[in-house]
Amino acid sequence: MKRQLPKRHDLAPLLKFKKPEMSPKKRRLEKALTIDDLRTIAKRRTPKAAFDYTDGAADGEVSLARAREAFADVQFNPAILRDVSSVDTSREVLGKRVALPFGIAPTGFTRMMQAEGEVAGAQAAAAAGIPFALSTMGTTSIEGVAAASPGGRNWFQLYMWKDRDRSMALVDRAAAAGFDTLLVTVDVPVAGARLRDVRNGMTIPPTLSARTVVNAIPRPAWWINFLTTEPLAFASLDAWSGTVADLLDTMFDPTVTYQDLEWIRSQWPGKISVKGVQSVDDARRLADAGVDAIVLSNHGGRQLDRAPVPFHLLPQVVKEVGSDLEVHLDTGIMSGQDIVAAIAHGAHFTMIGRAYLYGLMAGGRDGVDRTIEILQGQVERTMRLLGVTSLDELEPTHVTTLQRLAPRS
């Protein structure tokens, strides 16, 4: 075989050198190709107590593991020879069009994860054309979120307080600020046993034990941002100086019933969705009560461990109430494939919590944008590979759920 030295003009078409990226943040986000990649970056950059608050679940964390296993056990059934040159990922959700079949779920203590907090989430969601939900336990005020994303679609998540007047004052503020949907969360009569938080001494402000300080030393950027930005302000409180456990005890009311829900429904002017539904019977009762949507959710595994897996519950609920209200789903979603599987399985819409927070911790607003970008790309690619061009074309026949867990007779 005859060999010769290559000539420069022959090499030029074969070699393309990447322009160096000078921004460390952009470099690390560009390298993140999955939500798991963002999680790895987030863990490296965030103190353990804050990261574990996001990453952890209740007790043995079985509910969270099972929810993720449910998506891993999906087999897709593609159709071939379809024109998928363009796909439409938009859908009408609670009366308005959204660009993608997922929104950002309500998360508490968000500015403890990264200083930009809910503002980053709301602005990224508005830019992407998807809803952003603010938690009662969020660390940016209702009015602050509205001001940060004036063109965005904002939802407010409500925990019913023991002080009903105080709860409704929040509802009134959300309505006045232009929030169009109320997410009433009903799976928190008491806080779940989040053991990572107990072990880490998760308090507000953070507990500065020797262990906390040592863990923070290699993460100076988090502390600089935390200490040099505006002090934490809750969506529902002007200030709080106690522990997280004390705050949760104030927030959650174990006496809440369907009658309270009817009372809220009568006073809220917009759409209402009930989050934390975990049985067909409760889904049917809520449909009969006239709510606009339900969210099948076990609170990301953070409340009752070994609770039902929302993805497994989905087909039965859709069969029972899918024509009467919208059925949304969260818990366990870590990829666009998970979102497509949920839609094919019957969900009208999905919500992401941890996936959003991993992006936030990895890079603030840019990290949340990267989360959405990753998920959007995965959704579009999966749809094309399945041979569908719109969400309405996704059907149960596109997914087969492989059996790992089944009730014993």
Side-chain angles (χ1 to χ4, degrees):
M1 183 169 60
K2 184 179 179 181
R3 298 181 185 276
Q4 65 181 28
L5 291 174
K7 297 177 182 179
R8 186 187 304 175
H9 66 270
D10 293 328
L11 287 175
L14 302 177
L15 299 175
K16 183 179 180 181
F17 293 97
K18 184 179 179 182
K19 182 180 178 181
E21 176 56 64
M22 304 308 294
S23 167
K25 180 167 71 172
K26 288 184 179 179
R27 284 201 303 271
R28 66 175 178 265
L29 292 177
E30 285 177 358
K31 291 179 181 179
L33 304 181
T34 67
I35 301 303
D36 278 322
D37 290 342
L38 290 173
R39 178 186 178 276
T40 299
I41 298 169
K43 187 174 184 178
R44 188 169 66 240
R45 297 185 58 80
T46 311
K48 180 176 175 60
F51 178 83
D52 277 358
Y53 178 80
T54 296
D55 196 60
D59 292 294
E61 304 189 358
V62 174
S63 288
L64 178 59
R66 286 179 178 173
R68 289 181 175 163
E69 285 174 354
F71 286 114
D73 289 345
V74 165
Q75 171 185 291
F76 284 118
N77 305 313
I80 60 171
L81 299 176
R82 305 291 198 274
D83 180 358
V84 290
S85 54
S86 64
V87 295
D88 181 6
T89 60
S90 68
R91 163 163 282 182
E92 186 172 293
V93 175
L94 292 173
K96 295 182 180 180
R97 204 77 183 170
V98 298
L100 295 163
F102 63 90
I104 292 180
T107 60
F109 309 107
T110 311
R111 286 188 57 228
M112 287 197 69
M113 316 311 155
Q114 203 273 350
E116 295 175 58
E118 290 87 358
V119 167
Q123 291 178 340
I130 63 175
F132 172 83
L134 173 65
S135 171
T136 298
M137 295 167 63
T139 44
T140 303
S141 70
I142 292 168
E143 295 77 14
V145 167
S149 58
R153 184 178 184 190
N154 296 319
W155 298 354
F156 183 68
Q157 176 266 334
L158 178 70
Y159 291 121
M160 280 300 293
W161 290 24
K162 296 170 184 175
D163 184 340
R164 294 293 190 266
D165 290 339
R166 203 170 187 183
S167 294
M168 294 318 296
L170 296 177
V171 171
D172 292 341
R173 284 171 58 191
F179 287 55
D180 66 63
T181 296
L182 190 66
L183 284 175
V184 182
T185 298
V186 294
D187 57 356
V188 284
V190 295
R194 301 171 192 177
L195 303 185
R196 291 202 216 182
D197 296 343
V198 175
R199 293 177 180 127
N200 288 329
M202 178 70 171
T203 61
I204 303 172
T207 302
L208 294 177
S209 65
R211 179 182 174 189
T212 303
V213 173
V214 169
N215 179 259
I217 289 172
R219 299 168 177 85
W222 185 93
W223 282 106
I224 290 169
N225 288 332
F226 184 79
L227 296 173
T228 62
T229 55
E230 183 180 350
L232 295 185
F234 289 90
S236 54
L237 295 169
D238 294 328
W240 185 260
S241 58
T243 67
V244 172
D246 292 338
L247 180 59
L248 299 186
D249 185 57
T250 299
M251 291 282 185
F252 303 156
D253 183 358
T255 71
V256 174
T257 67
Y258 276 90
Q259 286 67 41
D260 294 288
L261 180 63
E262 292 173 6
W263 179 66
I264 296 169
R265 184 75 185 94
S266 68
Q267 299 190 52
W268 173 252
K271 301 289 186 179
I272 190 166
S273 177
V274 177
K275 184 175 183 292
V277 180
Q278 298 173 70
S279 75
V280 176
D281 289 344
D282 279 329
R284 176 74 269 164
R285 188 167 178 181
L286 289 166
D288 293 340
V291 303
D292 300 294
I294 57 174
V295 184
L296 299 183
S297 169
N298 62 29
H299 215 101
R302 296 163 67 79
Q303 285 297 109
L304 175 65
D305 203 15
R306 310 186 194 201
V309 175
F311 185 72
H312 289 165
L313 187 62
L314 181 58
Q316 302 168 265
V317 170
V318 169
K319 182 178 179 180
E320 177 68 23
V321 302
S323 61
D324 300 326
L325 45 65
E326 293 182 15
V327 180
H328 302 178
L329 181 138
D330 78 6
T331 303
I333 293 174
M334 287 286 284
S335 73
Q337 292 93 329
D338 298 343
I339 293 168
V340 171
I343 300 299
H345 221 40
H348 188 79
F349 191 62
T350 64
M351 303 193 78
I352 58 166
R354 288 183 178 88
Y356 142 64
L357 292 176
Y358 293 143
L360 179 69
M361 289 185 285
R365 162 67 194 277
D366 291 336
V368 182
D369 287 336
R370 184 63 178 146
T371 292
I372 296 171
E373 182 181 29
I374 288 170
L375 294 176
Q376 179 176 1
Q378 292 171 338
V379 167
E380 292 177 351
R381 182 168 55 252
T382 304
M383 289 174 64
R384 285 190 166 98
L385 291 171
L386 284 173
V388 302
T389 60
S390 72
L391 299 177
D392 290 339
E393 292 178 25
L394 288 168
E395 296 179 348
T397 54
H398 285 113
V399 292
T400 299
T401 302
L402 305 178
Q403 183 172 302
R404 188 189 303 233
L405 295 173
R408 179 174 293 179
S409 58

